[in-house]
Amino acid sequence: MKNPLSVRLSVFPVALWVIATGCLSMVADDAEEAQRRELHQYLKGRYLFQKQCAICHGTAGRGDGPWAAELSDKPRNFRTGAFKFRSTAFGTLPTEDDVRRTIRSGISGTAMTFCKDLSEDDVDALIGFINSMSRD
């Protein structure tokens, strides 16, 4: 007959392995879920940009949309990372609040109108997509 202590000790590594692999699986599932959410936000932002912004800013965000040539104040080229309305230092990207303020309030005297009909989640997705365009 085996010693009960030796049986418990031989089962311990197996139990530890089962617990560890279960935890790793949960971590992997969480990481995959986070990647799915990030991709969903990116695609949502891209869709909203194409629907709401590309007419002036262009499909690639270069400020060369179909209406851009007709505008006296040219649309921002998001690819350069140069933003006019920001609370950050020159040459740095604006904060999300800076971009949110421009989206929500628009820019007086320009074709950049305010977007009050977008949900906060939509605005977050749009900000994420706009920020992804910059080389910075």
Side-chain angles (χ1 to χ4, degrees):
M1 177 175 206
K2 281 191 167 186
N3 180 343
L5 182 59
S6 67
V7 171
R8 274 190 250 139
L9 289 177
S10 66
V11 172
F12 180 74
V14 173
L16 190 58
W17 180 82
V18 168
I19 291 169
T21 55
C23 289
L24 288 175
S25 173
M26 288 185 341
V27 168
D29 289 345
D30 288 347
E32 287 176 15
E33 181 59 29
Q35 283 181 326
R36 272 194 289 277
R37 280 194 306 270
E38 189 175 314
L39 178 60
H40 173 75
Q41 279 293 93
Y42 174 83
L43 293 174
K44 182 178 185 179
R46 188 172 100 184
Y47 168 77
L48 290 166
F49 185 86
Q50 298 305 320
K51 184 177 170 190
Q52 303 280 337
C53 313
I55 194 80
C56 294
H57 292 283
T59 56
R62 289 189 171 88
D64 60 354
W67 288 7
E70 305 300 320
L71 300 173
S72 57
D73 291 315
K74 299 303 178 201
R76 184 66 38 199
N77 178 347
F78 296 122
R79 308 294 284 186
T80 64
F83 288 76
K84 188 173 184 178
F85 300 100
R86 66 184 185 289
S87 61
T88 57
F90 180 77
T92 61
L93 290 176
T95 66
E96 287 188 7
D97 286 338
D98 293 334
V99 179
R100 181 180 315 282
R101 188 172 33 260
T102 301
I103 291 170
R104 287 288 187 208
S105 304
I107 301 172
S108 181
T110 71
M112 180 64 201
T113 61
F114 60 93
C115 298
K116 64 177 179 171
D117 296 334
L118 294 176
S119 71
E120 284 304 309
D121 189 54
D122 288 350
V123 173
D124 289 341
L126 195 51
I127 290 169
F129 182 73
I130 289 169
N131 286 341
S132 76
M133 290 180 174
S134 171
R135 292 177 287 211
D136 294 338

